[in-house]
């Protein structure tokens, strides 16, 4: 490099020409890759922005619709943007509608889709959408007599809400696992900030004492 700066102008031109002759294909390839990377980045950002805008518009249409049109909007949102967060909200809505219509199998299907979509969203962090879907699915399973299915569903969860601890306790109590149910209820009691819910949980703990 010192020789380059100390060389005359003609020598510098000759040196640059020599470098270009020897390495021109490598230099061109590098330039092409750099340009391609820039174009791809810009295209990806543009595509992402367009996806967010369109999915947001579809979600707004879903929120503003009513009755059968709301159901149709929910289905359209799920079909058009299945990987979006909005699709999970639509799935939760369809599950709620089917529970109200006593179509439990359909409701479970929608809730399981939410769980599938949410399973890798946040790793070990708390995912409120996943937590809500598990709670609603657990309530259906428990209503159907599937106490063990509830425990299987909740197994491995490192972060549980007061509501989930409560329904876990309900399932354990249903299976006759009184000691475990009491622990779950106490954990629910500790996490709950709602006085009516705390009173209900306290009653369940008292009932466990009586049934022992």
């Amino acid at each position: 490099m010192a020789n380059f700066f100390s060389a005359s102008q003609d020598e510098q031109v000759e040196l640059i020409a020599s470098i270009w002759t020897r390495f021109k294909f490598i230099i061109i390839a590098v330039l092409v890759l750099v340009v391609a990377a820039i174009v791809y980045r810009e295209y990806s950002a543009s595509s992402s922005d367009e996806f967010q805008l369109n999915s947001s518009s579809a979600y707004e249409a879903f929120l503003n619709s009513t009755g059968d049109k709301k159901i149709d909007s929910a289905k359209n949102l799920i079909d058009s943007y299945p990987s979006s967060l909005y699709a999970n909200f639509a799935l939760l809505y369809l599950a709620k509608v089917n529970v109200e219509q006593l179509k439990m199998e359909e409701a479970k299907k929608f809730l399981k889709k939410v769980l599938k979509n949410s399973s890798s969203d946040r790793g070990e962090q708390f995912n409120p959408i996943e937590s809500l879907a598990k709670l609603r699915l657990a309530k259906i399973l428990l209503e159907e007599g599937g106490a063990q299915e509830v425990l299987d569903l909740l197994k491995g969860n490192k972060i549980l809400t007061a509501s989930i601890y409560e329904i876990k306790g309900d399932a354990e109590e249903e299976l006759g696992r009184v000691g475990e149910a009491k622990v779950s209820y106490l954990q629910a009691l500790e996490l709950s900030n709602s006085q009516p819910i705390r009173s209900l949980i306290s009653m369940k703990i008292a009932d466990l004492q009586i049934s022992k």
Side-chain angles (χ1 to χ4, degrees), residues 4 14-24 27:
F4 177 81
E14 184 180 349
L15 181 58
I16 292 172
S18 174
I19 293 173
W20 171 253
T21 301
R22 292 180 59 186
F23 301 107
K24 62 182 177 181
I27 294 171

Side-chain angles (χ1 to χ4, degrees), residues 20-87:
W20 171 253
T21 301
R22 292 180 59 186
F23 301 107
K24 62 182 177 181
F25 295 112
I26 296 176
I27 294 171
I28 291 172
V30 170
L31 289 174
V32 168
L33 288 174
V34 170
V35 172
I38 293 172
V39 171
Y40 176 76
R41 185 184 64 184
E42 294 299 323
Y43 173 77
S44 297
S46 175
S47 298
S48 177
D49 290 343
E50 184 178 357
F51 177 85
Q52 290 295 334
L53 178 62
N54 291 340
S55 59
S56 177
S57 298
Y59 182 62
E60 185 177 358
F62 159 69
L63 291 178
N64 292 332
S65 56
T66 57
D68 290 340
K69 287 186 177 180
K70 194 175 188 72
I71 293 174
D72 291 338
S73 294
K75 291 178 179 178
N76 177 65
L77 181 56
I78 294 164
D79 291 339
S80 301
Y81 309 99
S83 62
S84 69
L85 177 63
Y86 301 126

Side-chain angles (χ1 to χ4, degrees), residues 4 9 19 24 38 43 55 87 91 118 120 141 152-153 164 192-193 202 206-207:
F4 177 81
Q9 185 174 355
I19 293 173
K24 62 182 177 181
I38 293 172
Y43 173 77
S55 59
L91 285 165
S118 305
S120 59
L141 293 173
D152 292 340
L153 175 67
I164 290 184
S192 178
N193 294 318
S202 296
D207 287 343

Side-chain angles (χ1 to χ4, degrees), residues 8 20 29 32 71 76 104 124 137 175 196 203:
S8 67
W20 171 253
V32 168
I71 293 174
N76 177 65
M104 298 306 176
E124 295 183 356
L137 180 57
L175 294 171
M203 289 174 58

